[in-house]
Amino acid sequence: MIELTEKIRDIAKKLLKDGTVDVFIGYKKGSVPMMNEPVLIRNPDEADLLYWDSNCGLNLCNYLTGRTDRIGILATGCNSRSIVTHIIENQIRRDQLYIVGIPCTGMIDHRAVNRAVGHREITDITESDITFTVTGKGFQETFNKADYLQGNCKVCRHRNPVEYDEMIGEPVEEQKGIEPYSDVKNIEKMSCDDKNAFFRRLIDKCIRCYACRNACPLCYCPTCFVDESRPQWVGKSIDPTDTMTFHLLRAFHCAGRCTDCGACERVCPMGISMRQFTRKLNRDAEELFSWQAGLSLTERPPLDTYRSDDYNDFIK
Amino acid sequence: MKNLLEHTGLEPGRLHFSWISSAEATKFVKVAKEVSAAVRALGPAKYLVKRRAEVV
Ligand code: SF4
Ligand code: SF4
């Protein structure tokens, strides 16, 4: 990990010094363990702030929207797909970007680690190739990274960036034999009442803080529908129906665009798995329109094209 | 849209989509009858109904 960090720093310094980019977007070590933060570097001397390990689960594409300068940006598989989505939605131009691709081996699920140590306070985390070690007052434990991956990384099929100008390191092997939508299929098997109960329970604790929306690179509308008051599209209380309406609408806004980067789930203070909404849409997009978001700069997404053989069984 | 709503617990048969031209009066009548029959058969809505008492 430290080698990759060094490489990122070197590349960022070079790009900033020779004027290829005005700003470099990467991660820096967070103020608490397992929570690395996005950082924008303008001065080559600050490039040593950059950092890389398996706690870089936020989506950097969030910081591209509407920028007019030239940007260097670090991109994992899912981040690169979000960047592609940004480009085809005209939120940024490809020629403004210098994409530094980084092959990814997944991000650590900080909640699972906290559970594993019985919620004792972790003060440090270090990583080797396939294991990581957490330290706190009076304890030190080592885990296999593969057992503590974020839910989305466990089922990720595009760990290598799809679009880049330069790649750091060799591509990693993609995960084989994964069943990407087993969770969605299990819910599909439930009865209507059970589905209803499942989703009600799922969002039961939601406090409508909108951290999930803020972390999402797709949520770039100048005024989000939840913040509008004239007209007010959705109730602002934590009434279960209002909350469900928020989650349903947020998910629909991501239909055919979500790359399952997991940023929303990562940031939720209540530990809600709101990916269950977007994942159903991702599955439908894939099943009905053979579409996975962010894989191609030339193809248009299913929701902005019409084909006479589009799925329309639901229309009478 | 229908798929996600039904995935999250809306009864199949509650939500209907149709494409009817302003010239298709008979189709409109037919679809309206079908929809109202299907929805009546399901009974009162339980999903996404806001009841004041649920918020404390
Ligand atoms: S979803 Fe894939 S590319 Fe994205 S962080 Fe997880 S393993 Fe890496
Ligand atoms: S981050 Fe969690 S608690 Fe906040 S609005 Fe999203 S789901 Fe609700």
Side-chain angles (χ1 to χ4, degrees):
Chain A
M1 292 297 151
I2 198 73
E3 301 133 48
L4 289 176
T5 301
E6 292 294 340
K7 279 192 192 160
I8 295 169
R9 289 175 183 167
D10 289 345
I11 292 176
K13 271 180 216 162
K14 187 177 128 284
L15 292 175
L16 288 165
K17 272 200 188 126
D18 67 18
T20 312
V21 303
D22 304 314
V23 59
F24 188 89
I25 309 181
Y27 299 94
K28 67 171 180 185
K29 215 171 159 101
S31 49
V32 281
M34 301 194 283
M35 296 286 176
N36 291 344
E37 300 164 8
V39 63
L40 278 71
I41 307 272
R42 289 168 190 288
N43 184 340
D45 300 335
E46 291 170 352
D48 286 334
L49 270 179
L50 289 162
Y51 193 75
W52 173 259
D53 65 7
S54 301
N55 302 290
C56 297
L58 293 178
N59 197 322
L60 296 180
C61 182
N62 243 341
Y63 303 91
L64 290 182
T65 318
R67 289 192 79 96
T68 50
D69 47 357
R70 288 162 307 151
I71 309 144
I73 186 167
L74 192 68
T76 59
C78 54
N79 279 218
S80 73
R81 292 171 60 201
S82 302
I83 295 171
V84 168
T85 305
H86 249 57
I87 298 170
I88 62 177
E89 292 176 0
N90 299 325
Q91 294 307 312
I92 195 85
R93 291 196 327 267
R94 178 67 183 90
D95 59 15
Q96 282 173 269
L97 299 176
Y98 188 93
I99 305 173
V100 179
I102 185 157
C104 175
T105 52
M107 295 298 152
I108 294 171
D109 179 351
H110 59 93
R111 291 192 192 90
V113 179
N114 275 319
R115 276 198 299 275
V117 298
H119 297 280
R120 284 173 295 174
E121 195 188 346
I122 295 170
T123 51
D124 195 25
I125 176 163
T126 52
E127 222 180 304
S128 73
D129 262 356
I130 50 166
T131 61
F132 64 96
T133 304
V134 291
T135 325
K137 206 173 168 206
F139 72 95
Q140 181 166 54
E141 289 189 46
T142 300
F143 300 100
N144 265 334
K145 187 171 130 180
D147 302 334
Y148 287 88
L149 287 184
Q150 285 186 174
N152 62 311
C153 298
K154 280 190 194 139
V155 296
C156 172
R157 288 170 287 166
H158 302 281
R159 291 178 142 189
N160 293 300
V162 295
E163 177 73 20
Y164 53 85
D165 295 289
E166 176 173 355
M167 211 29 186
I168 298 189
E170 290 300 305
V172 290
E173 205 182 321
E174 295 291 353
Q175 308 191 90
K176 296 230 170 58
I178 41 171
E179 183 22 284
Y181 294 114
S182 53
D183 51 346
V184 182
K185 284 184 189 154
N186 283 340
I187 300 172
E188 280 170 5
K189 283 188 215 128
M190 292 182 188
S191 75
C192 172
D193 284 345
D194 287 352
K195 286 177 183 167
N196 195 334
F198 174 90
F199 277 94
R200 268 190 86 124
R201 252 199 324 273
L202 187 81
I203 57 165
D204 197 23
K205 291 208 207 76
C206 176
I207 53 172
R208 301 286 291 278
C209 67
Y210 305 136
C212 47
R213 172 202 66 183
N214 288 4
C216 179
L218 304 173
C219 289
Y220 54 66
C221 297
T223 309
C224 176
F225 74 98
V226 296
D227 295 327
E228 238 158 35
S229 49
R230 255 192 232 173
Q232 185 181 316
W233 304 106
V234 49
K236 293 174 195 281
S237 73
I238 49 164
D239 173 282
T241 295
D242 289 342
T243 306
M244 183 63 93
T245 310
F246 158 59
H247 280 285
L248 286 168
L249 288 176
R250 187 190 83 87
F252 280 127
H253 289 182
C254 304
R257 306 165 65 218
C258 171
T259 60
D260 206 19
C261 71
C264 47
E265 208 164 283
R266 181 180 178 84
V267 299
C268 177
M270 308 308 282
I272 292 168
S273 180
M274 74 299 277
R275 280 173 50 246
Q276 285 308 331
F277 291 90
T278 40
R279 283 174 58 67
K280 167 66 178 163
L281 292 167
N282 289 359
R283 171 165 142 81
D284 283 354
E286 198 167 337
E287 193 130 293
L288 306 172
F289 300 96
S290 314
W291 174 260
Q292 293 183 58
L295 295 185
S296 153
L297 276 174
T298 48
E299 243 179 290
R300 295 308 301 174
L303 282 182
D304 88 12
T305 40
Y306 168 74
R307 275 195 256 137
S308 54
D309 61 348
D310 272 349
Y311 163 80
N312 60 5
D313 290 357
F314 60 98
I315 295 178
K316 281 193 181 157
Chain B
M1 171 151 177
K2 185 167 153 75
N3 280 8
L4 181 67
L5 285 174
E6 289 178 2
H7 187 68
T8 56
L10 183 78
E11 309 96 318
R14 177 78 63 193
L15 181 65
H16 299 256
F17 288 83
S18 184
W19 188 263
I20 308 174
S21 144
S22 58
E24 296 177 305
T26 32
K27 181 171 177 194
F28 179 72
V29 172
K30 181 171 156 277
V31 172
K33 278 188 181 147
E34 278 169 18
V35 171
S36 69
V39 172
R40 211 167 273 148
L42 285 172
K46 289 180 291 207
Y47 186 63
L48 287 183
V49 179
K50 197 162 164 180
R51 291 187 193 83
R52 216 165 276 275
E54 284 187 48
V55 190
V56 278

